Amino acid sequence: MKNKDTERRDSDHLVKPSDHLRRGLWIGVTILFPGLLFKVLKVKEPAAEENAALLPPPMGEALVALFCSKNRARYVMGCLEENFHEDIRTKGKRRAKLLYWAAVLRSIGPLLWVKLRRAGLIALLVEIGRRWSGLS
Amino acid sequence: MDQISQLEQFVMLAILRLRPEAYGVALQKELKVRTGREYSVGAIYAVLDKLEGKGFVKTKQGEATPERGGRAKLYFNLTGSGQSALQASLRAIDNLRTSTPLSPVLS
């Protein structure tokens, strides 16, 4: 028979159903009210239709905000937006949007790599791999 | 002393060429003009992050402009240790290059 302390320690490792509920609620709310997602990620909300054409795609900015480290995100987004406005002037709105998405997708990889390295996840994965393969 | 990769060399040289106006977009354009390669904004910031971590680069917040959506620029400059690391790295290339027989490329 387990004593109370052991039971408490066992329950610490379990994911509580309330966590799933909270996560589900959060996803539901962001689908229903996308404006909230933009507010949380500190990304500009899509403006009125005529102004929206002159703004970079907000989902692209949200992606950068997700994958970039917090202290660099606004500078990266600023640089992408500067390029976007120059592309609008030289290549037109439609092509500028395409180029913006291409720039976002090309930028995500290196930014994510920096974030993972900073979090020490790469070192952790290497250590797991070494232990699993029996090299250590 | 820390080793410097080729892209890090490129970025550090571009910072020296552009200073004190070296920020993301300016560096991207300078690299495109001088090397013929187009690096993404993310790749440049990743390198700058790495260089800052090594203590080779320092940053200074600049002015916000409307074409950046009201966001500020971040200017980069080389530190003393950054300059000496770059010089050591370029000297190593020079040492290897001198008296190396390079056969002419016929195109």
Side-chain angles (χ1 to χ4, degrees), chain B residues 1 12 16 19 54-58 77-88:
Chain B
M1 189 171 276
M12 287 167 96
L16 283 180
R19 74 178 170 182
K54 288 178 182 174
F56 292 165
V57 156
K58 58 186 174 191
N77 206 344
L78 289 195
T79 59
S81 60
Q83 292 202 25
S84 22
L86 178 64
Q87 276 172 7

Side-chain angles (χ1 to χ4, degrees), chain A residues 42-44 56 61 69 71-83 85-86 89 91 103 106-108 110-111 114 117-118, chain B residues 23-25 28-29 38-50 52 59 61 65-74 76:
Chain A
K42 289 176 184 162
V43 168
K44 276 177 287 171
E61 292 201 324
S69 59
N71 55 340
R72 284 278 189 266
R74 61 195 166 129
Y75 302 113
V76 175
M77 284 192 276
C79 286
L80 287 169
E81 186 161 349
E82 197 177 325
N83 281 338
H85 286 297
E86 200 185 318
R89 278 196 302 274
K91 293 162 186 154
R106 282 181 67 209
S107 293
I108 281 172
L111 293 173
V114 169
R117 271 179 66 152
R118 212 176 259 173
Chain B
Y23 73 102
V25 175
Q28 191 188 24
K29 284 179 183 164
E38 198 168 346
Y39 295 100
S40 68
V41 171
I44 289 168
Y45 272 94
V47 171
L48 289 166
D49 235 51
K50 211 172 161 188
E52 201 183 4
T59 57
Q61 190 163 315
T65 57
E67 67 265 20
R68 292 173 66 84
R71 296 184 184 103
K73 290 176 181 173
L74 190 65
F76 294 88

Side-chain angles (χ1 to χ4, degrees), chain A residues 5-6 16 20 27-28 52-54 61 83 85 99 111 128:
Chain A
D5 282 347
T6 324
K16 293 170 196 157
H20 289 300
I27 292 168
L54 297 170
E61 292 201 324
N83 281 338
H85 286 297
L99 288 171
L111 293 173
I128 290 169

Side-chain angles (χ1 to χ4, degrees), chain A residues 40-71:
Chain A
V40 169
L41 293 172
K42 289 176 184 162
V43 168
K44 276 177 287 171
E45 225 177 310
E49 229 168 86
E50 65 272 20
N51 292 332
L54 297 170
L55 288 176
M59 282 313 287
E61 292 201 324
L63 268 181
V64 173
L66 267 180
F67 287 105
C68 192
S69 59
K70 269 182 193 169
N71 55 340

